[in-house]
Amino acid sequence: MLIHLWYHICMKIKEYIRDKKLIIKIVLVFVLTLADLLTKAYFAGYFYAGGEGIDLIGDFVQLTYVENTGAAFGSFGDFTIILTIVSALFLVAFVVLDLMYRKKHGKLYIVAYSFIVAGALGNFIDRLFLHYVRDFIRLSMFNFVCNIADILICVGVVLYAVDMLISMSKDKESDKANE
């Protein structure tokens, strides 16, 4: 069974490599992950050097620095090893599912997929090498601190949901046309 699954995955990878959308996804994921890691490094260095908080948009958006050992909103603090494993499993599962069950996806899906993968990858890299995630964007309205990766994941999930709704709507229309 594992050999059959491995063969199926390899055939999908071969098919996937021929798809030009792969290059777009790889470039987007690379650029977005790099942007996340560079901004985290810059602001970590800035605040470690004694930099003070910066008000970007009044009291609504501020730059500060937090080392988050937990997940979203600081939940599950000090469970970095478990969160790292869960992040790795999510990334692998998300990519494998994309390989196995992909159909012709449009630009919205490519952007959504790339945002989610890049965000998850950026935070995974922090957890793996630093044992915490570097957060630096404080949104006072919601009373939490996040980073570019968190924003990418949130926006990506919304775009992914919109893409699914559009796909479901198109499927219903084609089903009605076939009746």
Side-chain angles (χ1 to χ4, degrees):
M1 180 166 166
L2 285 174
I3 293 172
H4 177 68
L5 179 63
W6 180 251
Y7 174 79
H8 186 67
I9 291 171
C10 289
M11 290 295 105
K12 288 293 183 177
I13 289 172
K14 184 178 177 182
E15 175 186 323
Y16 195 67
I17 289 172
R18 291 184 184 139
D19 186 357
K20 292 181 182 181
K21 293 177 181 178
L22 171 69
I23 303 301
I24 296 168
K25 287 179 186 177
I26 290 171
V27 169
L28 274 174
V29 168
F30 177 77
V31 168
L32 294 170
T33 303
L34 186 62
D36 173 61
L37 294 173
L38 288 174
T39 56
K40 287 175 180 176
Y42 176 80
F43 286 108
Y46 170 80
F47 286 107
Y48 275 133
E52 295 182 15
I54 302 168
D55 291 338
L56 284 182
I57 304 174
D59 289 339
F60 181 67
V61 180
Q62 303 157 335
L63 297 179
T64 187
Y65 183 73
V66 175
E67 294 176 352
N68 183 0
T69 59
F73 315 114
S75 58
F76 304 105
D78 299 323
F79 285 93
T80 304
I81 294 171
I82 294 170
L83 291 170
T84 304
I85 293 167
V86 168
S87 296
L89 292 174
F90 167 79
L91 280 165
V92 169
F94 200 61
V95 170
V96 168
L97 285 173
D98 181 64
L99 288 171
M100 292 178 68
Y101 298 106
R102 72 183 179 85
K103 51 185 176 180
K104 294 190 188 246
H105 291 295
K107 294 173 186 169
L108 184 61
Y109 172 83
I110 291 170
V111 171
Y113 174 88
S114 299
F115 276 29
I116 294 168
V117 171
L121 187 59
N123 283 342
F124 171 74
I125 290 169
D126 266 12
R127 283 191 184 100
L128 185 65
F129 293 105
L130 302 173
H131 307 292
Y132 57 84
V133 173
R134 299 168 288 181
D135 290 331
F136 60 91
I137 303 169
R138 179 180 300 281
L139 303 172
S140 61
M141 182 173 150
F142 303 106
N143 197 28
F144 65 86
V145 182
C146 63
N147 57 42
I148 302 296
D150 298 333
I151 294 169
L152 288 171
I153 292 169
C154 291
V155 172
V157 167
V158 170
L159 294 176
Y160 197 84
V162 169
D163 183 68
M164 285 179 60
L165 291 172
I166 291 170
S167 293
M168 289 169 43
S169 175
K170 286 180 181 177
D171 289 346
K172 281 185 180 181
E173 288 176 16
S174 70
D175 287 346
K176 286 181 183 179
N178 291 334
E179 289 180 352

